[in-house]
Amino acid sequence: MARPRAIVIQVLVHTAPPSVLAAGDRPVIRAEVLSFDDLVAAGSVAAARAAGKARIEGKDYVMADGDVVEFRFQATSGQK
C-alpha cells in the first residue's frame, strides 16, 4: 500500500530515509516521478501516466520540490 511521506528535497533517490523506502534490504533501482501539479491536473496517477506526465528516473535522480515518487526496487528471488 502506498503511503505519502515527506522527504528533504535535493536528496538522491537511493539515499532517501529508510522510513520512506520501507523495503528492507532491497535496493532502489529506479523511481517513477511526476510533478504534484501534473497529478492534480490529471486527477489520478493512472491518468497522469496515460497523459505521458510520469517519467522513470535512475537511482541517482535528485528529488525536487513537488515530486510525487513511486520507488521501484530490485526484484527478489523469493529467498529471505
Side-chain angles (χ1 to χ4, degrees), residues 32-58:
E32 183 176 14
V33 182
L34 61 127
S35 76
F36 180 76
D37 293 334
D38 289 340
L39 175 60
V40 171
S44 71
V45 173
R49 286 177 182 151
K53 299 295 183 180
R55 63 191 186 279
I56 302 295
E57 299 288 351

Side-chain angles (χ1 to χ4, degrees), residues 50-80:
K53 299 295 183 180
R55 63 191 186 279
I56 302 295
E57 299 288 351
K59 66 181 183 178
D60 293 327
Y61 174 72
V62 178
M63 306 283 280
D65 188 28
D67 280 349
V68 176
V69 180
E70 180 178 326
F71 295 103
R72 301 210 176 167
F73 301 94
Q74 179 175 330
T76 60
S77 62
Q79 300 176 2
K80 292 188 176 189

